[in-house]
Amino acid sequence: GQQLNQSPQSMFIQEGEDVSMNCTSSSIFNTWLWYKQEPGEGPVLLIALYKAGELTSNGRLTAQFGITRKDSFLNISASIPSDVGIYFCAGQLRGGSQGNLIFGKGTKLSVKP
Amino acid sequence: NAGVTQTPKFQVLKTGQSMTLQCAQDMNHEYMSWYRQDPGMGLRLIHYSVGAGITDQGEVPNGYNVSRSTTEDFPLRLLSAAPSQTSVYFCASSSGSGDTGELFFGEGSRLTVL
């Protein structure tokens, strides 16, 4: 099946540091989304991107939809302990069924106070 | 706001047993889906539905059945559980129009098959 390559797999950072993670694919996507999952809970949507080149912020989070439509990145500035969790990229393929998302394998973020 | 509600939250089965994972949403969403989450594998789509009476297979449908008799409910059935079905299952829904891909997830159902 289609794959999203998400990196890094995990990150251990100091509080206050900036974080960057990305997803790439060999396929073209119509939509890129970034979700965060905390222990024992379902993923929660952070940012949705719908146009190539789109740059969107949500507080300390910034995400971009790559120009080629094959990649996206998420940046977190000035990390805090509550940023801990697993971050997933997800995309909807061009021509794919509406609503069906392909997920990356996640980036596990740990923040040391 | 209830959102997407899954039951049970935890379940232990023996190989060969059957069970149904329940999912209900109160947002009048047309689109509903089931994902499974395994360590290091991300979330993989099992089945989905774009509206009442319509279901289709996702990436990993084998061993699972679904039905969609109402807009609100989308149960996932395991007819004969296998250890390979040990996983965390998430139900998700979206409005299916405009906000494409913006899924709302339940809290998950953790299933262990012995």
Side-chain angles (χ1 to χ4, degrees):
Chain A
Q2 302 290 343
Q3 283 193 329
L4 287 181
N5 301 309
Q6 184 172 352
S7 65
Q9 278 189 316
S10 61
M11 303 181 73
F12 297 86
I13 63 171
Q14 197 78 30
E15 182 178 0
E17 291 183 356
D18 296 342
V19 172
S20 184
M21 59 191 79
N22 68 83
C23 272
T24 62
S25 175
S26 58
S27 300
I28 293 175
F29 287 83
N30 282 342
T31 305
W32 282 96
L33 305 104
W34 286 90
Y35 287 84
K36 178 187 178 185
Q37 184 180 28
E38 298 187 8
E41 298 184 6
V44 174
L45 181 67
L46 298 173
I47 293 178
L49 303 158
Y50 298 106
K51 292 167 54 176
E54 182 179 355
L55 184 72
T56 297
S57 294
N58 178 7
R60 294 178 295 105
L61 278 61
T62 302
Q64 186 160 27
F65 192 143
I67 290 292
T68 65
R69 308 182 74 93
K70 295 181 180 180
D71 61 342
S72 177
F73 72 75
L74 174 71
N75 287 341
I76 304 173
S77 62
S79 59
I80 59 178
S82 62
D83 289 335
V84 166
I86 302 177
Y87 292 78
F88 291 99
C89 64
Q92 183 182 2
L93 283 169
R94 182 178 65 178
S97 297
Q98 186 177 28
N100 289 358
L101 297 181
I102 298 171
F103 281 82
K105 295 184 179 181
T107 296
K108 186 174 182 179
L109 179 63
S110 301
V111 179
K112 184 177 180 180
Chain B
N1 296 331
V4 178
T5 303
Q6 291 182 234
T7 57
K9 285 187 168 41
F10 301 94
Q11 182 72 49
V12 178
L13 293 177
K14 294 181 180 178
T15 296
Q17 286 185 318
S18 63
M19 79 156 299
T20 299
L21 299 178
Q22 302 291 345
C23 176
Q25 52 90 11
D26 61 359
M27 298 174 282
N28 201 32
H29 284 169
E30 291 294 325
Y31 178 91
M32 297 185 74
S33 56
W34 278 100
Y35 287 83
R36 60 177 289 173
Q37 183 177 28
D38 302 294
M41 296 293 293
L43 292 111
R44 293 181 292 170
L45 182 64
I46 305 172
H47 284 284
Y48 65 98
S49 168
V50 298
I54 305 170
T55 64
D56 208 342
Q57 296 181 349
E59 180 186 357
V60 288
N62 292 342
Y64 307 95
N65 282 350
V66 292
S67 59
R68 186 89 180 274
S69 56
T70 67
T71 299
E72 294 77 20
D73 301 299
F74 190 44
L76 178 72
R77 297 184 185 86
L78 287 72
L79 298 178
S80 180
S84 61
Q85 293 179 303
T86 293
S87 187
V88 182
Y89 292 86
F90 288 98
C91 180
S93 72
S94 78
S95 62
S97 62
D99 297 330
T100 300
E102 294 186 14
L103 293 176
F104 293 84
F105 284 85
E107 293 186 338
S109 298
R110 184 177 293 275
L111 175 66
T112 301
V113 182
L114 303 175

